[in-house]
Amino acid sequence: ILFIIGLTIIIGLQKTVLFFTRRPKLKGTAAFSTGIVLILLRWPLIGFLVELYGIFILFGDFFATIGSFAYNIPLVGPYIAKALNQASQASGGRRNTEIPV
């Protein structure tokens, strides 16, 4: 819930609604919302996993961008970048490359 509030404060209400309601993002939005509901219904582990899946679907396209930024972190940067790039490829690469801002 705090994640959605923070995203709304950063990019605005209209862009947040447009991001979550785009056709390619509906599956991720449904999973994320279902995860929140499951957590509130006292199924925290299952809810967390469903919510994590939704976040992966919603923001999987940005893993490559985060990986290129993380590459500059001393000592652990190359390992983080490699893991995020592999996660990006596992989610289908750059399907929805539009950034919500």
Side-chain angles (χ1 to χ4, degrees), residues 1-17 20:
I1 295 174
L2 292 176
F3 173 74
I4 295 172
I5 293 170
L7 187 64
T8 304
I9 289 172
I10 291 172
I11 67 173
L13 181 62
Q14 183 179 8
K15 289 183 180 181
T16 303
V17 170
F20 282 104

Side-chain angles (χ1 to χ4, degrees), residues 20-58:
F20 282 104
T21 57
R22 285 189 309 175
R23 188 140 177 84
K25 302 287 186 182
L26 287 178
K27 183 178 176 182
T29 301
F32 185 75
S33 301
T34 303
I36 291 174
V37 169
L38 287 172
I39 289 172
L40 293 175
L41 293 175
R42 295 183 174 207
W43 287 74
L45 182 61
I46 306 281
F48 175 73
L49 294 175
V50 171
E51 193 173 349
L52 190 63
Y53 173 74
I55 288 174
F56 186 71
I57 296 296
L58 285 170

Side-chain angles (χ1 to χ4, degrees), residues 63 66-72 76-86:
F63 286 153
I66 295 168
S68 63
F69 174 75
Y71 184 77
N72 296 324
V76 296
Y79 302 110
I80 295 171
K82 183 179 178 182
L84 288 173
N85 284 331
Q86 287 176 348

